[in-house]
């Protein structure tokens, strides 16, 4: 397989230079594969973006922005997030400091394996050395098709090679026993033809097995690529408000057999279920179904929900720390259920005019959008011009009804805030926090491991905005300025549901964004 892999890598290198067709939907959030993270490596506050490749093996681009002037150098490496090999650090790559912006460091890392990986950063600077790990789900988003011209070229080369080999063997058998300068005898000609026949049979066999091998490898790669498409949800309303939730039978068996039965809690819940009414995105429910068996089936007693067609996203994290978003849809009648309780929440807004070309409501010229909630709470969203594929900080400010900074914010499921970002055509769904797009469960695995890893310098600090319930009582003060690192994956219209907890109540502000 080494030669084959070498060929595949060579082809990957060749093809990544060729512009690709529109990327297909990918999980770990739907259609939003890149990783955004904000946190501390020891004394250094960093914002990290990992642009993941379309195919594996492939090159991930790592960008690190330091908030202080005292970072001297950053080196990066990739290991598994957990399990065998997770503590074996390969030789790190020194990240390049941008000549234009001394706070910006970049490096390119090969992602060779599928699954739950992490990028390790070793920082050195005026305040000593420190380490940080950023979990990165590694998966192929698509199979690169072989261009016809390349297939034809390779076939021509291979045929020429085969014919050349056969004729060389034939000529050798015909001429090698003849004395120098003597004419070719009939006997020599016959032995030449025999040798060519034997050579043809051997070469055909070699080629046959090579093609079988190629086909099997290709099918395996296709299977893995398919596996990492967002799995489908099977949703069924049984009874007045009882929603049964499980992975659909049409998924790869791995999803039902390995992923769903072995989930780990993220923000204290095994599943975060987001139901968004389509096409207007005017109602959003963020619920936490209970696991009802060990096979990965879940159920939720729905609250009162208005009738409509709902797009459903279920965020789960498997035991390797890999985040999956299962996707489904269901038509619901008017449902009357229990009031929301616990961490469950909902948001509502005017329908999003999906194809409106005019300015989007609530986004003012100055780049500050304001949403005033029912109780007078004001939420401001300050943003730079919104451009696709550019890492940015989404900055939110929560104010009381008098416009003063809110002083009574509490952690909501351990975080300062949560934001769900949905594209108007539902092709993108991302669930982010002040620490970024990485699930908290994976972060905990990465930081727990880094703290106990031999040679770890300095204790891991908590990622930005993270306040674990175990460590922080609900009364922990949360600053009213909350920022989240994110990059919109493509141009278009998006709706952002910004969720936070204030005075014991979970609130949801809604913002619309046109990304160019
Ligand atoms: Cu969240």
């Amino acid at each position: 397989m080494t030669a084959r892999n070498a060929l595949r890598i060579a082809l990957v290198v060749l093809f990544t230079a060729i512009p690709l067709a529109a990327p297909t939907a990918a999980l770990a959030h739907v259609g939003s594969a890149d990783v955004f993270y904000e946190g501390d490596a020891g004394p250094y506050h960093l914002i990290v973006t990992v642009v993941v490749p379309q195919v594996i093996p492939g090159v991930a681009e790592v960008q690190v922005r330091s908030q202080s002037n005292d970072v001297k150098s950053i080196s990066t490496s990739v290991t598994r997030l957990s399990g065998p090999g997770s503590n074996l650090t390969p030789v790190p790559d020194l990240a390049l400091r941008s000549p234009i912006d001394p706070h910006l460091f970049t490096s390119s890392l090969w992602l060779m394996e599928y699954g739950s990986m992490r990028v390790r950063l070793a920082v050195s600077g005026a305040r000593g050395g420190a380490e940080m790990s950023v979990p990165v789900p590694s998966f192929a988003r698509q199979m690169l098709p072989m261009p016809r011209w390349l297939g034809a070229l390779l076939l021509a080369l291979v045929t020429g090679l085969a014919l050349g080999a056969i004729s060389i063997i034939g000529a050798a058998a015909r001429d090698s026993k003849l004395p120098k300068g003597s004419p070719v005898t009939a006997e020599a000609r016959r032995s030449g033809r025999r040798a060519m026949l034997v050579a043809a049979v051997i070469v055909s066999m070699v080629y046959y097995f090579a093609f079988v091998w190629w086909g099997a490898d290709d099918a395996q790669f296709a299977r893995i690529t398919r596996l990492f498409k967002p799995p489908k949800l099977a949703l069924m309303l049984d009874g007045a408000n009882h929603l049964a939730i499980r992975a659909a039978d049409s998924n790869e068996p791995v999803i039902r057999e390995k992923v769903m039965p072995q989930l780990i809690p993220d923000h204290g819940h095994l599943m975060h279920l987001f139901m968004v009414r389509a096409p207007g995105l005017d109602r959003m429910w963020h619920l936490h179904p209970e696991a009802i068996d060990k096979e990965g089936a879940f159920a939720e007693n729905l609250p009162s929900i208005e009738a409509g067609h709902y797009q459903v996203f279920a965020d789960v994290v498997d035991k390797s720390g890999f985040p999956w978003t299962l996707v489904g849809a269901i038509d619901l009648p008017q449902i009357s259920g229990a009031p929301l309780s616990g961490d469950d929440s909902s948001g509502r807004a005017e329908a999003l005019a999906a194809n409106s070309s005019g300015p989007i409501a609530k986004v003012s010229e100055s780049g500050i959008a304001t949403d005033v909630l029912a109780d007078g709470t004001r939420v401001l969203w300050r943003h730079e011009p919104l451009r696709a594929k550019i890492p940015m900080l989404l900055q939110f400010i929560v104010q009381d009804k008098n416009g003063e900074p809110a002083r009574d914010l509490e952690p909501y499921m351990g975080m300062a805030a949560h934001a769900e970002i949905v594209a108007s055509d539902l092709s993108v769904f991302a669930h982010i926090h002040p620490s970024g797009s990485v699930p908290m469960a994976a972060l905990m695995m990465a930081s727990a491991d880094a703290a106990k890893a031999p040679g770890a310098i300095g204790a891991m600090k908590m990622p930005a905005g993270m306040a674990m319930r175990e460590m922080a009582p609900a009364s922990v003060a949360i600053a009213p300025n909350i920022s989240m690192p994110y990059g919109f994956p493509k141009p278009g219209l998006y709706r952002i549901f910004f969720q936070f907890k204030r005075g014991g109540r979970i609130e949801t502000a809604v913002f619309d964004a046109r990304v160019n």
Side-chain angles (χ1 to χ4, degrees), residues 103-124:
H103 290 158
L104 185 66
F105 297 79
T106 54
S107 82
S108 304
L109 291 173
W110 273 95
L111 285 181
M112 303 298 293
E113 291 173 87
Y114 295 96
S116 208
M117 311 296 289
R118 66 166 146 191
V119 170
R120 284 184 130 159
L121 305 173
V123 185
S124 81

Side-chain angles (χ1 to χ4, degrees), residues 137-482:
S138 169
F139 60 97
R141 279 180 279 172
Q142 61 177 29
M143 259 179 100
L144 297 175
M146 168 97 76
R148 269 167 190 271
W149 63 266
L150 186 69
L153 179 70
L154 288 177
L155 194 67
L157 289 174
V158 143
T159 311
L161 214 59
L163 294 177
I166 293 168
S167 70
I168 288 170
I169 290 169
R174 189 182 64 219
D175 300 346
S176 61
K177 290 195 201 103
L178 293 174
K180 195 177 174 191
S182 65
V184 178
T185 62
E187 168 63 31
R189 214 166 255 137
R190 266 199 303 281
S191 97
R193 267 194 229 109
R194 266 200 306 276
M196 281 169 80
L197 197 68
V198 173
V201 169
I202 292 173
V203 166
S204 326
M205 276 168 66
V206 167
Y207 276 44
Y208 173 75
F209 285 114
F211 276 103
V212 168
W213 180 13
W214 176 284
D217 205 60
D218 203 48
Q220 163 81 352
F221 194 77
R223 200 187 65 78
I224 293 172
T225 307
R226 224 171 27 242
L227 170 66
F228 287 113
K229 297 272 179 251
K232 297 204 167 49
L233 276 174
L235 299 164
M236 208 180 58
L237 187 68
D238 50 4
N241 73 333
H242 186 260
L243 182 68
I245 304 149
R246 58 186 185 83
D249 292 338
S250 60
N251 292 308
E252 289 290 321
V254 175
I255 301 294
R256 273 172 297 122
E257 290 161 13
K258 293 271 185 326
V259 173
M260 296 305 287
Q262 303 184 51
L263 300 176
I264 58 174
D266 188 25
H267 311 307
H269 298 283
L270 285 179
M271 178 181 279
H272 295 257
L273 193 77
F274 300 93
M275 303 183 26
V276 185
R277 188 158 75 169
L281 314 186
D282 55 343
R283 297 287 181 275
M284 191 279 290
W285 301 88
H286 176 176
L287 307 172
H288 304 93
E290 293 293 321
I292 52 168
D293 63 20
K294 290 200 160 54
E295 267 83 68
F298 284 77
E300 172 75 19
N301 289 315
L302 295 175
S304 295
I305 290 183
E306 285 145 282
H309 178 75
Y310 283 83
Q311 186 78 3
V312 183
F313 303 96
D315 275 354
V316 296
V317 178
D318 74 20
K319 67 164 187 205
S320 73
F322 195 95
W324 300 84
T325 299
L326 294 90
V327 179
I330 190 168
D331 290 305
L332 292 178
Q334 175 76 39
I335 287 175
S336 50
L340 289 172
S341 64
D343 291 332
D344 293 354
S345 58
S346 71
R348 56 168 56 217
E350 299 282 296
L352 181 67
N355 294 313
S356 80
S357 48
I360 299 306
K362 294 187 202 164
V363 176
S364 64
E365 297 297 309
S366 63
I368 294 188
T370 309
D371 191 15
V372 182
L373 308 181
D375 68 350
T377 302
R378 297 162 57 85
V379 183
L380 276 54
W381 174 37
R382 191 191 304 148
H383 58 80
E384 312 142 42
L386 300 171
R387 306 266 304 279
K389 296 189 163 71
I390 305 284
M392 56 182 84
L393 280 179
L394 308 182
Q395 293 176 289
F396 301 93
I397 303 161
V398 183
Q399 299 176 337
D400 65 19
K401 58 177 183 290
N402 303 319
E404 298 294 322
R407 294 286 166 218
D408 54 355
L409 293 183
E410 301 166 15
Y412 172 31
M413 286 187 286
M415 312 295 289
H418 303 243
E420 290 87 44
I421 297 171
V422 189
S424 62
D425 63 357
L426 302 168
S427 62
V428 174
F429 172 80
H431 172 190
I432 62 169
H433 306 110
S435 57
S437 63
V438 178
M440 190 153 77
L443 275 181
M444 297 310 288
M445 287 172 77
S447 41
D449 218 57
K452 69 174 189 259
I457 315 155
M460 287 294 295
K461 286 232 184 130
M462 292 303 245
M466 183 156 133
M468 283 298 291
R469 260 173 291 191
E470 293 87 275
M471 302 176 190
S475 63
V476 72
I478 299 241
N481 290 40
I482 296 166

Side-chain angles (χ1 to χ4, degrees), residues 26-36 50-53 136-137 139 141 437 489:
L27 85 161
H29 308 96
V30 176
S32 183
D34 295 339
V35 173
F36 304 93
V50 182
V51 178
V52 295
V136 173
F139 60 97
R141 279 180 279 172
S437 63

